[in-house]
Amino acid sequence: MNIVAFSINPLFPDRVMGGAPKHLQNIAIYLGELGHRVRVYCTSVSDSSATFNWHENVSIHLILRFSNRFPTL
């Protein structure tokens, strides 16, 4: 199954900032381990739009443009 999720919080390949992103990561990886393809679209922190994976079936796309980003780095 193809699953799409959205996050207004920025997501990172090597760290989790906050409770909601941690739950999203756990659920997305669990679904990926079950064989589902999960795509998560989230806010980018910088001008980077690089895609990364949390799991071979879970890809994170930094494409959403929200003002008032958190955290501001």
Side-chain angles (χ1 to χ4, degrees):
M1 177 185 296
N2 290 314
I3 299 169
V4 174
F6 298 91
S7 173
I8 62 170
N9 294 322
L11 302 173
F12 304 96
D14 58 346
R15 64 184 186 272
V16 178
M17 307 277 290
K22 182 62 178 173
H23 291 301
L24 176 60
Q25 183 184 47
N26 288 339
I27 292 167
I29 290 173
Y30 175 74
L31 291 170
E33 288 174 346
L34 292 177
H36 302 291
R37 180 185 160 111
V38 181
R39 279 182 249 153
V40 181
Y41 296 97
C42 70
T43 303
S44 62
V45 174
S46 64
D47 293 333
S48 173
S49 61
T51 298
F52 61 89
N53 293 326
W54 278 341
H55 180 274
E56 70 179 60
N57 291 332
V58 180
S59 58
I60 311 302
H61 305 270
L62 309 168
I63 63 169
L64 301 179
R65 302 289 178 214
F66 290 107
S67 56
N68 298 334
R69 290 180 233 169
F70 176 83
T72 54
L73 301 176

